[in-house]
Amino acid sequence: MDVYINGKRIRADPKKAIGKGGEADVFQLDQTTALKLFKPPTHSDYQGLPQEQQTARDRLQIHQQKLLQFPRHLPSRVITPSALATDKAGKTILGYTMPLLSGTNPLLRYGERSFRQAGISAQTVVQIFQDLHDTVSKLHFHHVIIGDFNDLNVLVRGTEAYCIDADSFQFQSFPCMMFTARFVDPLLCDPSAPQPLLQRPPTIVSDWYAFAVMLMQCLLFVDPYGGIYKPKDPKQKVLQAARSLHRITVFHPEVHYPKPAIPYRVLPDELLHYFQQVFVHDHRGEFPRSLLDNLRWTQCPTCGKEHARDLCPGCQQTLLIAVKAVTTVRGTVTATRLFQTEGVLLYATVEQAQLKWVYHDHGHFHREDGSVILNGELKPNLDWRIQGNRTLLGYQGQVITFHSHKAPERIAVENLGSITLFDANESASYWISNGQLLWNNPYALLPTLHSPSHIGDVLSNQTRFWVGSRFGFGFYQAGNFKVAFVFDANKPGLNDRVQLPAWQGQLIHATCTFSQEYGWLFLTTQTQGQIHHTCVVIQSNGTIAATAQATNGTNHWLAAINKKDPGCAIANFLLAATDNGIIRIELQQGQLVHTKTFADTEPFVDSSCQLLPALNSLYVVSSHEIYQLVIA
């Protein structure tokens, strides 16, 4: 698509697409500039959706005036329009250019335990929200309301929080009627609806409501309406999506608090009281800055856990360290602890029936035998893999391979945002460079990282892929363009005729886990303010065997598992960890069916755990421990 900026024709190249949301696509123009183009009613994402087509038509019409009157001199942390993008005649505004941010992560990731354990402390989160508080206060001083304030339109770099999607801000006579269900103020919504539906324009205090939701999520890894509501009286039951409308929070006695979340008792009484006043009793107002400035996190010297109180609420000042039994039996399950660290487990895999892992402890990165791979502190976005006795680290456009008896090797690879585009299995490593999917072919005469074999061509800086022991899968998405492919893990060639089901909105996360026969692809997207999960089971020949979909917060099995480490794929079924124990999902006649819950495993797992196959048993990997579970 061609647009015009200051009279100069600019090509919006799908190969340079760097973002896709519900309203617009974003392209990189150069090292410092991005182009945001609003989706027209004819966009493929709106095909067959007349309501969305009309909304897109109305949005474009409003922007013809709104962007011309956009307020100036906003805070430096707000990414504002730089120049307007128009049609050739210069009469119709199609989008705008803006500064390009690099090295950022969406605030959403700071509410994920798996991301935060990479060296991001709770006190760092406090500093991020202090910075964001300044920006929100300054916007309100300029009579600007964020409106659709959510954790995907805040980008974080270090402790700096940047607000994006400024075109949706509310100012002058331009209301913001976009909203994200997880963050919209229920006082602005229809109280009788089955889910939040915005009835009135947002306000200054509704921005602060969303601020409080995001802060709670990032401090505790659970939002105010997380967990599962299971009332004893069936008449009191409400839909998960409607809980905010009924003020049924995690503080409610009949809400089962998520096991991976941090207990809210670690927060000081003043902050806990404020959260309860806002989410239960409808208190509104500017978030008190003193609650952030007085928030001091510390590590308990007894139990090692972080808290923000005068005394550790977990260990109650005991001087004895509780040591879990090495072997525990519950019903049909025997759990044996194989490994424990005061540090953090970063990666684990099974190769040829042998469990291998990488962990960080006291300033060193180790392999499972305790050998030191690398000295240094934890950082976000370090991506680890294991290939035999080799350890691979992906970070900022390079992969470093650590060997046991020779110097590390480095190769340049492509990135997709903060994702380093590489993977490995027990036989080989795979990566993308200059639009090519490559591997260090172990069957070559002299297999090395610096003379790789070519598997196939892909879209540069846009391709996600994963590899199992027998085959791999990947896809790329640029604008309206989506291509999915499979490839044999042991020879060159791509089959790019895989027909993935269409999805709408913003892709938040994708991962794939493999059995010998199938790849299980998990996608997390946000559409119209709701988080959706999709599972697609793909055969090695590219045929789609089954799909399943669920909305976040429902009782569906897909909403209950960890989409980052979704489970252990074996033959035609998946074993996945939930807060209620391990579940079995089977492929049956083109359907994915939840066939069994292993209730006796409940004390040993939660939805943040990774499961790996072992001989007649399972390995359970958490942040600090590895257990082997034998189910009789």
Side-chain angles (χ1 to χ4, degrees):
M1 178 179 180
D2 289 339
V3 298
Y4 290 79
I5 301 171
N6 297 323
K8 182 180 178 181
R9 186 173 71 175
I10 300 294
R11 175 69 175 169
D13 187 353
K15 295 181 179 179
K16 294 185 178 180
I18 56 173
K20 183 179 180 66
E23 300 180 6
D25 295 318
V26 181
F27 305 85
Q28 181 173 349
L29 295 185
D30 55 40
Q31 295 300 313
T32 60
T33 309
L35 169 65
K36 182 172 185 176
L37 291 182
F38 302 113
K39 296 178 181 177
T42 55
H43 197 283
S44 62
D45 283 359
Y46 303 143
Q47 185 175 358
L49 301 170
Q51 183 175 349
E52 282 75 3
Q53 290 172 348
Q54 184 59 47
T55 300
R57 192 175 293 112
D58 295 342
R59 181 167 53 245
L60 277 171
Q61 184 176 354
I62 291 171
H63 281 314
Q64 303 310 303
Q65 295 299 320
K66 184 177 184 179
L67 289 178
L68 291 174
Q69 300 178 45
F70 197 86
R72 302 191 181 277
H73 310 299
L74 294 185
S76 59
R77 295 283 195 267
V78 178
I79 304 303
T80 57
S82 303
L84 298 179
T86 69
D87 61 2
K88 187 175 182 179
K91 295 183 178 180
T92 302
I93 297 172
L94 305 175
Y96 59 88
T97 64
M98 58 187 175
L100 176 64
L101 287 175
S102 60
T104 64
N105 286 288
L107 186 62
L108 173 141
R109 299 217 62 194
Y110 290 78
E112 299 172 354
R113 181 186 287 272
S114 58
F115 178 75
R116 283 272 302 284
Q117 71 181 19
I120 301 173
S121 68
Q123 198 62 43
T124 297
V125 170
V126 174
Q127 293 175 288
I128 291 168
F129 276 87
Q130 288 172 321
D131 190 72
L132 184 59
H133 191 285
D134 289 344
T135 299
V136 177
S137 298
K138 291 173 182 176
L139 281 170
H140 292 166
F141 177 80
H142 287 280
H143 307 290
V144 174
I145 293 170
I146 298 174
D148 186 19
F149 196 13
N150 64 78
D151 55 7
L152 286 174
N153 64 22
V154 178
L155 300 181
V156 178
R157 181 168 59 196
T159 57
E160 300 172 347
Y162 293 85
C163 295
I164 62 171
D165 294 338
D167 54 87
S168 68
F169 285 2
Q170 178 172 293
F171 58 88
Q172 296 178 18
S173 61
F174 302 103
C176 172
M177 296 308 291
M178 292 294 298
F179 70 98
T180 301
R182 293 176 294 136
F183 302 101
V184 67
D185 188 342
L187 295 180
L188 303 177
C189 298
D190 180 357
S192 62
Q195 62 187 29
L197 295 174
L198 189 64
Q199 284 188 321
R200 296 183 297 280
T203 64
I204 285 176
V205 296
S206 67
D207 275 358
W208 289 117
Y209 171 88
F211 182 95
V213 175
M214 288 185 276
L215 177 62
M216 183 173 175
Q217 172 73 49
C218 289
L219 291 178
L220 299 178
F221 305 131
V222 63
D223 67 55
Y225 309 101
I228 302 297
Y229 176 48
K230 292 185 176 180
K232 295 179 181 178
D233 182 357
K235 296 180 181 179
Q236 300 297 318
K237 191 172 183 179
V238 301
L239 294 173
Q240 169 68 25
R243 277 178 49 191
S244 65
L245 303 176
H246 297 272
R247 317 303 191 263
I248 301 172
T249 71
V250 292
F251 306 118
H252 193 286
E254 293 184 302
V255 169
H256 292 211
Y257 197 76
K259 288 167 69 175
I262 296 175
Y264 57 75
R265 294 295 179 188
V266 303
L267 298 179
D269 290 337
E270 296 83 3
L271 183 55
L272 265 179
H273 176 72
Y274 181 81
F275 282 151
Q276 290 176 325
Q277 288 296 107
V278 170
F279 302 129
V280 179
H281 302 295
D282 292 340
H283 171 78
R284 295 293 184 269
E286 179 176 345
F287 187 93
R289 178 59 188 251
S290 61
L291 291 180
L292 290 173
D293 294 342
N294 296 330
L295 195 56
R296 296 286 184 273
W297 289 80
T298 186
Q299 187 176 41
C300 174
T302 302
C303 68
K305 295 181 179 179
E306 282 189 306
H307 66 89
R309 302 178 69 90
D310 292 334
L311 300 175
C312 176
C315 65
Q316 300 178 340
Q317 295 304 289
T318 179
L319 296 179
L320 298 175
I321 300 176
V323 179
K324 295 181 182 179
V326 173
T327 299
T328 307
V329 178
R330 163 151 177 184
T332 62
V333 176
T334 301
T336 302
R337 190 177 69 236
L338 304 180
F339 177 75
Q340 186 178 38
T341 178
E342 294 179 359
V344 179
L345 277 154
L346 301 172
Y347 180 78
T349 189
V350 171
E351 292 184 350
Q352 298 177 348
Q354 184 178 357
L355 179 65
K356 301 178 180 181
W357 64 89
V358 177
Y359 68 100
H360 182 271
D361 191 15
H362 291 94
H364 306 289
F365 295 89
H366 301 264
R367 279 289 296 266
E368 65 279 354
D369 60 0
S371 61
V372 175
I373 309 164
L374 179 68
N375 299 322
E377 297 303 320
L378 285 169
K379 294 181 180 179
N381 303 317
L382 296 181
D383 204 1
W384 297 91
R385 296 290 187 276
I386 289 173
Q387 182 200 339
N389 59 4
R390 300 177 178 181
T391 310
L392 287 72
L393 168 61
Y395 184 61
Q396 293 186 342
Q398 64 176 338
V399 172
I400 307 171
T401 300
F402 297 93
H403 304 267
S404 55
H405 300 298
K406 65 177 182 178
E409 297 178 90
R410 297 172 184 260
I411 56 171
V413 302
E414 293 182 3
N415 282 355
L416 176 55
S418 61
I419 303 171
T420 307
L421 298 176
F422 83 110
D423 206 353
N425 59 22
E426 63 270 20
S427 302
S429 53
Y430 306 75
W431 65 97
I432 295 176
S433 179
N434 297 318
Q436 294 183 323
L437 178 57
L438 306 170
W439 67 319
N440 63 327
N441 182 355
Y443 307 107
L445 292 177
L446 294 171
T448 70
L449 291 174
H450 299 284
S451 59
S453 297
H454 177 232
I455 295 176
D457 293 335
V458 295
L459 189 58
S460 186
N461 296 307
Q462 300 293 338
T463 303
R464 305 166 191 254
F465 80 97
W466 303 264
V467 64
S469 59
R470 285 190 55 206
F471 74 101
F473 166 80
F475 70 90
Y476 47 88
Q477 175 185 12
N480 304 334
F481 191 51
K482 291 188 182 84
V483 173
F485 57 88
V486 291
F487 60 95
D488 192 306
N490 298 311
K491 62 184 180 182
L494 294 178
N495 171 6
D496 60 4
R497 297 185 298 276
V498 180
Q499 297 298 312
L500 286 183
W503 66 82
Q504 293 182 318
Q506 186 170 357
L507 180 62
I508 298 173
H509 182 74
T511 193
C512 191
T513 187
F514 295 87
S515 66
Q516 290 291 310
E517 296 85 1
Y518 299 100
W520 295 65
L521 172 68
F522 292 85
L523 303 171
T524 301
T525 56
Q526 177 170 282
T527 308
Q528 298 180 339
Q530 293 277 6
I531 298 293
H532 301 278
H533 305 292
T534 302
C535 175
V536 185
V537 180
I538 305 151
Q539 294 178 244
S540 59
N541 64 2
T543 302
I544 303 301
T547 61
Q549 294 180 321
T551 301
N552 206 43
T554 63
N555 290 326
H556 194 280
W557 65 265
L558 188 51
I561 68 174
N562 179 5
K563 268 61 69 174
K564 301 294 177 58
D565 286 305
C568 176
I570 303 171
N572 67 335
F573 63 90
L574 181 83
L575 297 174
T578 74
D579 285 2
N580 295 319
I582 294 173
I583 62 174
R584 178 178 171 127
I585 308 301
E586 292 189 22
L587 175 61
Q588 294 183 355
Q589 299 179 337
Q591 301 293 320
L592 295 177
V593 182
H594 176 190
T595 59
K596 188 170 184 178
T597 298
F598 298 91
D600 287 343
T601 64
E602 184 271 334
F604 310 110
V605 301
D606 60 53
S607 58
S608 70
C609 292
Q610 178 188 9
L611 300 183
L612 292 169
L615 184 62
N616 299 320
S617 59
L618 284 172
Y619 297 120
V620 178
V621 183
S622 66
S623 298
H624 306 286
E625 296 174 313
I626 299 175
Y627 274 82
Q628 186 170 12
L629 296 189
V630 177
I631 304 174

